[in-house]
Amino acid sequence: MRTVFVFPAGERAETVASLDRQLPVQRHPWNAGGSLYIEIVDEQAGRLFSDWDPDDVAVLEAAVGHRPTWAVQIDVSGRIDGTAEVHQLVELLLEDGGVAIDDCSAHPWTLREINSGAVNDGLRFFDFRQWRDVDAGGTGV
């Protein structure tokens, strides 16, 4: 399972309403096509940042200007590639600003960076194939 955390700029209630409109079949948590599992996680319940490196949290705080108290967690089934589905959902969630962080790096990706295919430390957003190659000692090329 691969995971993406999305930190939308808007209010939590707006994000929940947007997810309810886009994914009305299964809600709270949401499911997209049986391959994306989506839920709101928050720091108060201990589910956000519990296993994050403190330096990664500091990078996120610097990017958004404060410590987020909640996020949208997207878990991607290993049964699918998921790249197109994740990009589509992240685009919806970040349309009013915010950032997303994937399993491959601690870089807070803006929607502009994601859509332009920007590279950070040799990786694009949700670039799990390249990350696996590099992590396994390959060149990633």
Side-chain angles (χ1 to χ4, degrees), residues 30-91:
W30 299 265
N31 183 293
S35 299
L36 297 184
Y37 305 94
I38 305 138
E39 64 181 317
I40 303 288
V41 293
D42 62 43
E43 195 167 25
Q44 184 177 357
R47 298 199 49 222
L48 181 60
F49 307 130
S50 63
D51 59 351
W52 287 45
D53 182 284
D55 291 339
D56 295 344
V57 177
V59 168
L60 172 65
E61 287 176 8
V64 298
H66 65 279
R67 183 182 180 107
T69 58
W70 64 277
V72 177
Q73 180 176 327
I74 305 168
D75 291 318
V76 184
S77 169
R79 296 182 312 252
I80 65 163
D81 174 273
T83 301
E85 294 86 349
V86 165
H87 279 252
Q88 182 180 17
L89 184 55
V90 168
E91 185 160 343

